[in-house]
Amino acid sequence: MGKREQAREEAAFMRGDVGVDGAATEEKQDAAEVERGKAREALLRGKAYLGREFLTWLLWRSESGEPVAAFEKTGLSVLFLGRVVLKGISGDVTELSARGAMAPYSEQVRQGMDRGLLVHQARLMLTHGEKAYEVTLDAEFLDIRAAKLPALMSEEDDSRTGERLYLAEQLSAMITTLVEAFIAVRAGRTWSKQVVPAMKEWMRGEEGTRKQTALQRAASARKR
Amino acid sequence: MPVLRGAVTFSRFLVEPAEGAPADLKRSLSRALKARAFAPIERRSEEERAAGFVELENHDATDFATGDLFYGEYALFAYRIDQIKVPGPVLRAEVDKWAAAFEKEKGRPPSRGEKGENRSSVRQLLRNRAVPITKVHDVSWNLKSQQLQIWAASRKAVEEVLGGLETAFKIKLIPLIPASVAARTGIEDSALGPTAELIGMELQAEVSHGEA
């Protein structure tokens, strides 16, 4: 053994990395375990699980096509569009991304949710009266990302700024309204006794008839 | 300038005055912005970064006159971050070139001290030539509803602007996420643990042992 090699081994022993037999003192963590640990940390950070439960609840509520909440005395409808990212903490899969016109309402996504993966990021269309907004939301911060606001009506630059700010704030307020509606249900007595069992039934595909409704809505949304 | 045009991407906050915050925020706004205004990087100094508030429509201006700062109920301004980066490989190549010339001239390689001295002067030279990378993030603050938006896509940028705002205005910015909405409506934390049936049983066990 060369001097340098010997010195390296002694240093490792002094650091406590290896024992007298030269074997590692601590077993290296399994890669899957590391992955699950990261997923768990991401879920608990800032109560991100509430955000995921919110988006999952919203997906379930939106499928019927009925308004999910009232905003400024008018119904607020939600439709999930395009790409959806699911995240979870158990099992072999901790993240799943699905892309497709109706991917969020697909059987594959619902099966993933039934196995503990919840919606972490999604693209939504919010319809309020005659105005339609599109936005991408993530569960941890509920930041507004790449939003599409309704067409601006004003022609002058100054008024357009005001209108843009107003619409951006309306969109933010709509998200808050949806969160408030969720929190009211989430903290209520029906959450664990009625809502969660109904969501699980839907995830397992035991509800049956709603899928067609969502497809019809997507088709009409595209026409608009 | 995303507030005025471009991608609509922002983080949402509710403004809560912290202890020691001025009673009339609108009046003190301009003063607070000026106190933390952006100042360009001093070329002769060692600093590599400068950050601070600028006007929304002119990223070199820090006057914050009423006409430039307020728009109806809103206060509109921006947070500018300048950074100078001397690329490591370029610095190394310049020092190696100098070392080769030194050896040719003196017939010996430069000592460690000589090399170090040269490295810092080359670094300064490259720094003087480098163009700062500028990033500007808009802030819109509705003074009536006390909702504030930071128009930035990167979370790191949002965190930095957030820190700048909280220090400058002595405010607390509450993110509009489900946990804070629940707290505002008086719902206790204990009522909002993870739903085992949705998330998985193993986490529920962890949370009940107090890890969350």
Side-chain angles (χ1 to χ4, degrees), chain A residues 43 46-63 68-69 76-80 84-87 105 113 117-126 135-144 171-187 191 195-196 199 202-203, chain B residues 12 176-182 192-195 198-199:
Chain A
L43 183 78
K47 290 201 173 75
Y49 62 84
L50 271 180
R52 288 189 197 169
E53 288 185 16
F54 161 64
L55 289 178
T56 308
W57 169 83
L58 195 58
L59 177 63
W60 169 68
R61 285 281 277 117
S62 68
E63 205 184 23
V68 179
L76 177 59
S77 305
V78 180
L79 178 69
F80 281 61
V84 64
V85 177
L86 307 181
K87 283 192 181 182
Y105 300 98
M113 289 191 287
L117 294 165
L118 298 183
V119 181
H120 183 80
Q121 195 183 72
R123 181 107 182 129
L124 275 63
M125 179 193 270
L126 308 182
V135 62
T136 298
L137 288 179
D138 80 282
E140 194 170 353
F141 301 106
L142 291 186
D143 287 344
I144 304 282
L171 174 59
S172 172
M174 282 178 209
I175 307 286
T176 305
T177 300
L178 292 171
V179 172
E180 283 167 352
F182 163 71
I183 289 295
V185 175
R186 179 66 169 74
W191 176 251
V195 180
V196 175
M199 284 169 73
W202 167 75
M203 289 170 190
Chain B
R12 313 171 304 125
L176 290 167
I177 54 171
S180 67
V181 171
L192 295 171
T195 306
L198 294 178
I199 284 167

Side-chain angles (χ1 to χ4, degrees), chain B residues 99-114:
Chain B
F102 182 97
E103 196 169 354
K104 203 174 167 188
E105 191 190 318
K106 308 231 167 157
R108 64 167 179 90
S111 67
R112 193 176 282 182
E114 286 166 332

Side-chain angles (χ1 to χ4, degrees), chain B residues 115-133:
Chain B
K115 222 172 172 178
E117 208 172 287
N118 176 263
R119 184 188 297 272
S120 44
S121 58
V122 170
R123 202 170 176 286
Q124 189 61 39
L125 193 77
L126 291 173
R127 221 181 86 87
N128 291 346
R129 272 192 231 153
V131 178
I133 301 160

Side-chain angles (χ1 to χ4, degrees), chain A residues 40 43 47 49 53 89-90 116 118 141-147 158 162 164 169 172 176 183 186 191 200, chain B residues 2-3 5-6 8-12 71 74 142 153 155 177 187 189 192-195 197 199 202-203 206:
Chain A
R40 214 169 281 145
L43 183 78
K47 290 201 173 75
Y49 62 84
E53 288 185 16
I89 53 156
S90 51
L118 298 183
F141 301 106
L142 291 186
D143 287 344
I144 304 282
R145 286 181 170 270
D158 209 32
R164 191 171 147 92
E169 205 168 274
S172 172
T176 305
I183 289 295
R186 179 66 169 74
W191 176 251
K200 290 300 278 186
Chain B
V3 160
R5 63 192 78 90
V8 180
T9 293
F10 57 84
S11 296
R12 313 171 304 125
Y71 181 92
Y74 293 91
N142 188 326
R155 200 63 215 174
I177 54 171
I187 295 166
D189 259 14
L192 295 171
T195 306
E197 295 89 336
I199 284 167
E202 57 182 271
L203 183 80
E206 264 181 37

